[in-house]
Amino acid sequence: MQREYRTISRISGPLMLVEGVEGVKFEELVEVELPNKERRSGKVLEIDRDKALVQIFEGTAGIDIPTSKVKFLGKGIEFPLSLDILGRVFDGLGRPKDGGPRIIPEVKRDVNGAPINPYARNYPNEFIQTGISAIDGLNPLVRGQKLPIFSGSGLPHNHISAQIARQARVLGKEEEFAVVFGAMGITFEESEFFIKDFTNTGAIERACLFINLADDPAIERIATPRVVFTAAEYLAFEKGMHVLVLLTDMTNYCEALREVAAARKEIPGRRGYPGYLYTDLASIYERAGRIKGRKGSITLIPILTMPEDDKTHPIPDLTGYITEGQVILSRTLHRKKVSPPIDVLPSLSRLKDKGIGVNKTREDHADIYNQLYAAYARGKEAQELAVILGEAALSEMEKLYYNFAEIFENKYVSQGEYENRSVEETLDLGWKLLTMFPTSELKRIREEFLAKYYDKFKGETL
Amino acid sequence: MRKGRIVKVSGPLVVAEGMSGSKMYDVVRVSDKKLLGEIIELKGDLASIQVYEETGGIGPEEPVYSTDEPLSVELGPGLVEPIYDGIQRPLDLIKDLVGDYITRGVSLPALSRKKKWKFMPEKKKGDRVTGGDILGEVQETSLVVHKIMVPPDIEGTIEEIKKGDFTIEDVICRVKSDDGLHKLTMMQRWPVRIPRPYKGKLPPHIPLTTGQRVIDTFFPIGKGGTACCPGPFGSGKTVIQHQLAKWADAEIIVYIGCGERGNEMTDVLLEFPELKDPKSGEPLMKRTVLIANTSNMPVAAREASVYTGITIAEYFRDMGYSVAVMADSTSRWAEAMREISGRLEEMPGEEGYPAYLGARVAEFYERAGRVTCLGSDHREGTLSVIGAVSPPGGDLSDPVVQATLRVVKVFWSLEDKLAARRHFPAISWLNSYSLYTADLRDYLKKEVGEDFINLQRDAMRLLEEEAELEEIVRLVGLDALSPSDRLVLEVAKSIREDFLHQNAYHEIDTYTSLKKQYNLLKLILHFYYCSKESLQKGASITDIEKLKVREKIARAKYIIEKDADRITDLEREVEKETKAVKNA
């Protein structure tokens, strides 16, 4: 029998101090009963002798000092798991939200998980075709990778992530897949967009959704990604599925974390975010990956909106240090109606080299993306130059690069939201663009590939 | 055994009472789960403990056991090849024991107690030995001969020394000294926070060649030197660290993955056994010690990981080897310090980092050096340290970068702008520096080429001129430049693209020997000198820009090492073609 305490001594922001407690453990789950019989949950953030500092997920509104009752449950936050979680919608703490029955658990897991032993990891090297040229051709995604989308408010990041979820497949294989979707503090419309998209494509039956909307308790968001990964780990590593995890919007998650840190009067790091933000994000992101000897995989695409489109803001900055690359969206391209507006130059996939090449995509893939990058970068420079000096001042070669950059954006990067290009098509498109240049400019491509492909694509229309 | 009682738990920090008599930095076991921790503050009978494992489920009243020993590493045969976490627990064995996830309270010895090693003595009965003397050898891997040394504090006469197969716990030698008989095994223990002793320090005089052109030619690091590579994410810090771990001509590599990505360590684990050492043809893994404390592993163990790594490196240095330590990334180490400091409620310095950040960083890098080792044979060992720094937003005013730059001698400045242009390694040729160039000059002149230093200087001058000229081009356009300035731009571009740019994933380009680097640079500059001459005779710059041989120059870096002389042959072609250019 758990003891009930009525010894709350202080409530401030999302935090509550309970005194005179005994046998309370760090990170233990807490249940509070309000005067109106409502129950809320929380967890122990710090325990100092007989004083426990508790963080309440649903907010402290309505909790009073004399009559509210506190119970310590002797365990961490757990999530009940079984295959029935597929096709269901939960709230940010993992409680059913769709009016369906409770999950009858096969197992229960602590949502914090445990770190994967680096020795047990398997290196992600299976190319995922997303059907988007700017990703497949230049920033290839592989199974088990974590590749965030750095976006800004008003940019179509949701459409891109939905397109990836819709089109992603591994070449030549039909395997069991699932989508685990975690929404933190997004609006009702955004969440509806995803649910509708999943429903239309039938993906909803292979999906498991955790929704914490903008008007749901903010502190609850701190648990959401952890619950998401508990579900993903179960599906991937116990049921052998290939799981795609979408988390949107990580910025809201970090803000909730900041709120708690501020309430605890911790010494803030950059922009008021706690000094352990990196460690905290890593404990989430690093749960993605592959494990030797297990069939499934977790591929993670977190979405975050950069405040003021600033890549050096702590959230994108620390995310970039943990994830294996990033896809950055550009407001300028979006204005130019390039869709998806992926800003190719600062985007990067760190795992690309292991996922492409002979037997995976095509032998010339690496050389092509190196060359396309270099050429596009030079084209962008030429464009900048032209802004200052006028187009007429460009040399013959600069003009060629100038035109290339334009065509590259409109034909290669830009494609329809429902256009699914195969990686072959993407690579061929790259060649068609590059044949604008004489071979002497294509220094990053091996001679053997120039011999094999250059003449084949020379002069082909785009 | 002393036993205390927990009174407070806050993340990785646990406070226990009843701990009087404990010393600072003693290791303790927390709760009956036996979590490993280290005392970092003492106040009356209260001890603050940083715990190296997750503390969820731990609470007041639980016991704390003191071991009365500082955090130490085990040193002996078996260090090379396995992968350790930040407190030297073998991750491969942990996987066998508890599965794919690291659970708490796992305790395994770092070195196998069962494996037998063949010990070949070099000393005999009656020999007088002092600390650091080599007793004998063990062939640990095909690349590493593990020298078994007398521990630093022992001096005396050998009473007995054995030969044959032993475990690291078997006594292989008995030494009689003034204070009694010492039974020596092949294993030593050493506290990680205390540098291992040596006789004296010397300045570095030989370059640590890395096969990376921009580093070896322009910003070299000496054996026993220190370097850092700060840069924003995506600028290729880890690739540079991996390249150095692969190709640096050190005899032992200690790679510390400190708070970085799990997949990167997996990459090292899977790739290194496949890669062959350019000299011996043996797998590179056979000379590599790996320490992995990835970002999701406990933060306090991350703090310890750099010390664990450097202590192991010092041990190999003491054998007389050249050792290189790669720490990726020291920022994560500093952040771990900051987190613990915050929990201790210490008054913060800059950006919340503790006031002792600079001191800790300096202490760490100062453990590098070329030294005369302990022992009577005056052998030399070198320990080079290369630290990656990950400043927020790539901002070099970050306290960790600044603290690091105050102590290291080589600065490889990684730039976002170069990375975005896919110029890798994205080391800025304008902002980077190496303070070893003077120390290494004699060696390079002698071993590589008498004019190597001059070529280096000319190339650097061209790159600097390019930066100035680009400003002008941006204002008035290319046409406004004189032909000789346009030649400077063309050649600087060639230096950038055909020399500095190096593809780590290209099978030939990934490594370039010093000899080939010299040949390449000489070829590019030869083109410059010859073209300049033709220009002075009135040749047209547009025709020089279009010379056929330039494409050959561009592809010269893909010529395999053994044909490096073919690069020199190209110089003749350069002469022929530049002479043939018609006047404008």
Side-chain angles (χ1 to χ4, degrees):
Chain A
M1 176 63 205
Q2 284 136 347
R3 279 178 60 183
E4 263 185 9
Y5 296 95
R6 289 199 186 193
T7 46
I8 302 174
S9 66
R10 194 163 65 95
I11 306 170
S12 127
L15 305 181
M16 180 177 89
L17 192 70
V18 191
E19 296 195 18
V21 298
E22 250 174 60
V24 171
K25 311 289 184 199
F26 179 63
E27 295 213 319
E28 193 174 337
L29 189 60
V30 181
E31 195 180 88
V32 187
E33 196 185 307
L34 273 60
N36 64 3
K37 302 287 173 221
E38 188 193 328
R39 281 166 199 276
R40 303 238 174 111
S41 53
K43 78 170 185 183
V44 176
L45 282 188
E46 186 177 302
I47 169 88
D48 189 356
R49 292 180 198 262
D50 66 343
K51 293 189 197 72
L53 184 69
V54 179
Q55 157 196 316
I56 305 294
F57 288 116
E58 296 96 330
T60 45
I63 301 182
D64 71 337
I65 286 184
T67 52
S68 294
K69 289 180 266 186
V70 183
K71 250 193 325 198
F72 294 88
L73 303 182
K75 55 175 189 188
I77 308 170
E78 287 177 333
F79 181 60
L81 293 158
S82 85
L83 278 179
D84 296 335
I85 58 172
L86 288 174
R88 298 290 303 272
V89 182
F90 302 89
D91 72 0
L93 274 174
R95 292 171 297 210
K97 201 183 186 179
D98 50 3
R102 288 175 74 97
I103 299 291
I104 299 159
E106 181 192 322
V107 282
K108 279 187 170 179
R109 285 279 145 77
D110 189 307
V111 298
N112 284 316
I116 302 178
N117 186 332
Y119 187 76
R121 277 185 190 269
N122 207 349
Y123 199 74
N125 59 5
E126 275 179 293
F127 174 78
I128 298 179
Q129 179 179 299
T130 65
I132 299 173
S133 291
I135 294 177
D136 290 351
L138 302 168
N139 299 292
L141 176 70
V142 293
R143 259 186 190 164
Q145 186 174 12
K146 21 191 198 302
L147 189 67
I149 297 179
F150 288 5
S151 182
S153 36
L155 294 177
H157 42 265
N158 289 339
H159 292 262
I160 296 169
S161 51
Q163 189 177 2
I164 294 173
R166 201 162 54 226
Q167 300 178 345
R169 65 185 194 91
V170 168
L171 297 174
K173 284 192 184 172
E174 281 302 322
E175 279 165 331
E176 272 202 289
F177 75 96
V179 177
V180 181
F181 176 72
M184 290 154 284
I186 62 169
T187 61
F188 172 77
E189 285 94 2
E190 284 172 303
S191 132
E192 269 309 288
F193 164 77
F194 279 104
I195 294 176
K196 225 186 236 158
D197 200 84
F198 290 156
T199 315
N200 287 346
T201 54
I204 191 89
E205 279 160 35
R206 315 284 319 158
C208 174
L209 285 70
F210 297 86
I211 310 268
N212 167 285
L213 293 180
D215 58 349
D216 287 333
I219 305 303
E220 187 180 287
R221 284 166 210 159
I222 294 180
T224 309
R226 296 183 165 83
V227 182
V228 164
F229 268 104
T230 310
E233 281 170 357
Y234 169 79
L235 294 173
F237 301 132
E238 280 172 52
K239 297 295 162 195
M241 295 182 190
H242 293 284
V243 181
L244 178 68
V245 174
L246 295 174
L247 290 176
T248 178
D249 174 329
M250 287 309 287
T251 308
N252 296 331
Y253 167 83
C254 296
E255 273 170 10
L257 209 61
R258 175 165 71 174
E259 191 178 331
V260 173
R264 288 184 71 181
K265 304 194 168 51
E266 288 175 10
I267 299 161
R270 286 174 71 222
R271 298 225 184 177
Y273 290 94
Y276 48 81
L277 184 61
Y278 175 83
T279 308
D280 189 274
L281 287 174
S283 71
I284 298 170
Y285 295 149
E286 279 285 328
R287 288 171 79 172
R290 292 169 71 212
I291 293 182
K292 277 184 220 162
R294 301 209 193 193
K295 215 178 117 207
S297 66
I298 303 179
T299 310
L300 166 67
I301 301 185
I303 296 157
L304 48 95
T305 46
M306 298 181 280
E308 294 171 64
D309 296 348
D310 176 11
K311 199 174 74 158
T312 65
H313 184 280
I315 301 169
D317 189 51
L318 295 178
T319 297
Y321 275 124
I322 306 164
T323 53
E324 283 122 0
Q326 66 279 337
V327 170
I328 299 187
L329 304 189
S330 147
R331 208 168 284 279
T332 324
L333 288 180
H334 185 54
R335 267 199 301 264
K336 283 201 227 162
K337 299 278 182 287
V338 172
S339 156
I342 294 175
D343 197 353
V344 167
L345 294 181
S347 296
L348 167 75
S349 164
R350 289 163 189 271
L351 302 181
K352 56 182 184 292
D353 297 281
K354 300 281 156 67
I356 59 172
V358 191
N359 295 336
K360 291 190 170 160
T361 54
R362 208 166 73 187
E363 78 257 4
D364 53 334
H365 196 155
D367 288 12
I368 291 203
Y369 77 61
N370 276 328
Q371 191 65 60
L372 281 172
Y373 261 116
Y376 181 54
R378 230 177 124 185
K380 285 307 251 189
E381 271 168 34
Q383 287 185 349
E384 277 168 34
L385 211 60
V387 171
I388 306 171
L389 301 169
E391 253 181 81
L394 298 179
S395 72
E396 209 56 31
M397 202 42 95
E398 298 298 316
K399 255 180 225 148
L400 199 55
Y401 278 103
Y402 178 96
N403 288 335
F404 169 81
E406 198 97 309
I407 301 172
F408 177 78
E409 281 171 8
N410 291 324
K411 299 280 179 185
Y412 191 93
V413 179
S414 194
Q415 69 183 84
E417 202 187 324
Y418 289 90
E419 185 182 348
N420 191 354
R421 289 185 193 155
S422 77
V423 66
E424 285 279 329
E425 285 171 322
T426 294
L427 291 171
D428 291 351
L429 189 57
W431 272 111
K432 286 179 201 167
L433 284 168
L434 287 175
T435 50
M436 285 174 68
F437 299 104
T439 47
S440 57
E441 285 298 306
L442 305 179
K443 285 183 192 171
R444 309 244 164 131
I445 298 183
R446 266 165 264 219
E447 274 164 342
E448 60 209 87
F449 301 144
L450 279 179
K452 187 165 169 190
Y453 295 100
Y454 187 83
D455 288 330
K456 186 171 150 196
F457 288 104
K458 178 82 188 159
E460 266 203 46
T461 44
L462 291 162
Chain B
M1 192 191 273
R2 213 183 338 271
K3 196 170 133 183
R5 224 162 43 93
I6 298 178
V7 295
K8 178 180 174 179
V9 184
S10 167
L13 185 80
V14 165
V15 180
E17 63 180 8
M19 299 294 290
S20 57
S22 301
K23 298 183 294 296
M24 276 294 269
Y25 297 113
D26 272 359
V27 169
V28 294
R29 293 277 179 180
V30 176
S31 95
D32 287 321
K33 294 193 176 89
K34 296 278 164 77
L35 310 185
L36 204 61
E38 189 182 17
I39 297 176
I40 52 168
E41 191 179 73
L42 287 166
K43 208 188 280 173
D45 78 336
L46 289 180
S48 300
I49 299 157
Q50 63 171 348
V51 183
Y52 294 132
E53 299 177 68
E54 292 302 328
T55 49
I58 305 290
E61 299 302 315
E62 290 186 67
V64 172
Y65 306 95
S66 182
T67 62
D68 285 330
E69 245 199 3
L71 184 67
S72 304
V73 285
E74 294 185 353
L75 303 167
L79 279 172
V80 183
E81 275 189 295
I83 173 168
Y84 293 113
D85 76 352
I87 45 177
Q88 215 201 5
R89 292 184 304 180
L91 287 169
D92 43 352
L93 300 182
I94 288 182
K95 178 180 181 282
D96 294 344
L97 193 71
V98 298
D100 297 334
Y101 291 91
I102 301 172
T103 48
R104 294 187 295 177
V106 189
S107 179
L108 279 170
L111 299 176
S112 165
R113 296 294 190 265
K114 291 209 187 82
K115 180 155 187 183
K116 290 203 166 181
W117 301 93
K118 195 178 191 67
F119 174 70
M120 302 298 285
E122 281 185 354
K123 293 270 189 283
K124 55 185 189 307
K125 192 179 164 184
D127 282 355
R128 178 102 193 136
V129 290
T130 80
D133 275 347
I134 292 167
L135 289 172
E137 290 178 351
V138 166
Q139 185 77 42
E140 185 173 344
T141 70
S142 48
L143 282 176
V144 178
V145 176
H146 197 110
K147 314 237 161 124
I148 307 296
M149 294 172 289
V150 179
D153 49 347
I154 290 174
E155 189 172 351
T157 315
I158 296 180
E159 286 230 316
E160 188 197 1
I161 186 159
K162 293 177 184 166
K163 181 186 173 181
D165 295 330
F166 301 100
T167 71
I168 51 165
E169 283 180 317
D170 293 335
V171 175
I172 48 141
C173 177
R174 286 184 302 149
V175 174
K176 192 173 176 348
S177 71
D178 299 342
D179 54 345
L181 195 64
H182 299 277
K183 290 177 178 165
L184 303 184
T185 64
M186 288 194 272
M187 178 177 71
Q188 301 184 16
R189 287 178 66 83
W190 194 265
V192 296
R193 293 183 198 277
I194 298 173
R196 281 177 64 89
Y198 48 82
K199 263 195 204 146
K201 247 186 191 171
L202 307 159
H205 69 313
I206 297 178
L208 179 78
T209 50
T210 63
Q212 309 306 302
R213 294 187 290 263
V214 56
I215 293 176
D216 290 351
T217 301
F218 291 107
F219 310 108
I221 170 175
K223 278 187 179 162
T226 50
C228 76
C229 48
F233 64 82
S235 58
K237 284 183 298 296
T238 301
V239 177
I240 288 180
Q241 294 272 359
H242 281 198
Q243 285 295 95
L244 296 190
K246 284 174 196 165
W247 308 120
D249 68 336
E251 283 150 310
I252 302 283
I253 299 284
V254 179
Y255 192 95
I256 311 169
C258 173
E260 287 287 306
R261 305 173 182 91
N263 279 332
E264 282 171 2
M265 292 316 293
T266 314
D267 187 21
V268 174
L269 275 173
L270 295 178
E271 197 179 2
F272 278 33
E274 306 285 320
L275 292 166
K276 302 279 188 281
D277 177 36
K279 279 193 209 105
S280 62
E282 286 293 319
L284 288 172
M285 201 60 190
K286 302 263 181 217
R287 59 156 196 186
T288 311
V289 180
L290 284 179
I291 294 170
N293 214 87
T294 55
S295 54
N296 54 342
M297 283 157 76
V299 64
R302 193 195 299 168
E303 198 269 330
S305 64
V306 297
Y307 293 106
T308 301
I310 199 140
T311 310
I312 294 174
E314 283 175 336
Y315 172 69
F316 281 107
R317 173 206 66 192
D318 290 346
M319 296 178 200
Y321 287 131
S322 66
V323 185
V325 171
M326 325 283 156
D328 185 15
S329 147
T330 56
S331 288
R332 306 299 161 225
W333 165 51
E335 276 167 15
M337 262 192 266
R338 171 167 74 180
E339 182 167 350
I340 306 284
S341 161
R343 305 253 184 198
L344 282 173
E345 290 167 12
E346 291 174 337
M347 186 66 86
E350 260 179 284
E351 298 249 357
Y353 284 104
Y356 45 80
L357 172 75
R360 292 276 169 90
V361 170
E363 272 166 25
F364 171 71
Y365 281 103
E366 201 49 26
R367 288 173 80 166
R370 178 162 78 102
V371 302
T372 315
C373 307
L374 287 186
S376 26
D377 61 352
H378 300 289
R379 60 184 183 274
E380 264 182 28
T382 61
L383 171 51
S384 321
V385 177
I386 296 144
V389 194
S390 323
D395 175 9
L396 295 183
S397 67
D398 167 60
V400 186
V401 176
Q402 288 304 317
T404 308
L405 286 179
R406 280 205 298 274
V407 285
V408 300
K409 294 274 174 58
V410 181
F411 170 45
W412 298 318
S413 172
L414 295 173
E415 284 188 359
D416 218 8
K417 222 175 69 202
L418 294 176
R421 269 199 264 156
R422 289 304 186 267
H423 177 96
F424 286 114
I427 297 177
S428 157
W429 48 90
L430 296 174
N431 294 337
S432 304
Y433 59 78
S434 163
L435 302 182
Y436 292 115
T437 31
D439 296 323
L440 305 175
R441 182 169 296 147
D442 292 338
Y443 177 90
L444 291 173
K445 271 190 171 171
K446 200 167 135 244
E447 300 293 324
V448 187
E450 194 53 40
D451 55 343
F452 187 52
I453 305 291
N454 296 341
L455 291 173
Q456 204 183 38
R457 195 197 50 217
D458 285 0
M460 194 44 84
R461 211 190 46 224
L462 285 169
L463 288 169
E464 269 163 27
E465 274 180 49
E466 180 196 31
E468 285 164 23
L469 289 172
E470 266 180 348
E471 291 286 310
I472 299 173
V473 171
R474 219 162 281 142
L475 290 174
V476 295
L478 195 62
D479 295 333
L481 292 185
S482 68
S484 67
D485 282 346
R486 277 178 66 176
L487 179 66
V488 169
L489 282 186
E490 283 297 322
V491 176
K493 185 175 150 222
S494 169
I495 297 174
R496 278 191 287 112
E497 291 181 1
D498 310 331
F499 189 80
L500 296 176
H501 179 272
Q502 190 167 2
N503 185 350
Y505 299 101
H506 189 285
E507 59 277 11
I508 297 163
D509 203 23
T510 182
Y511 173 86
T512 311
S513 67
L514 268 179
K515 184 78 199 155
K516 187 173 149 190
Q517 294 187 25
Y518 166 75
N519 287 351
L520 280 174
L521 194 61
K522 201 164 158 215
L523 173 66
I524 294 171
L525 288 174
H526 195 67
F527 173 78
Y528 175 63
Y529 305 138
C530 292
S531 308
K532 206 168 153 190
E533 214 181 296
S534 303
L535 268 188
Q536 275 159 1
K537 287 182 189 150
S540 134
I541 180 71
T542 13
D543 287 347
I544 289 180
E545 281 171 4
K546 284 182 193 146
L547 285 182
K548 271 231 166 62
V549 73
R550 299 198 61 206
E551 207 178 325
K552 285 192 181 158
I553 296 177
R555 294 191 189 274
K557 59 183 173 185
Y558 302 120
I559 292 174
I560 55 174
E561 284 292 334
K562 106 169 170 298
D563 297 343
D565 290 335
R566 266 179 49 205
I567 300 171
T568 323
D569 299 341
L570 283 175
E571 287 177 25
R572 303 291 86 77
E573 281 186 50
V574 167
E575 283 158 24
K576 222 170 81 192
E577 286 199 20
T578 45
K579 278 214 181 85
V581 177
K582 288 197 193 67
N583 281 5

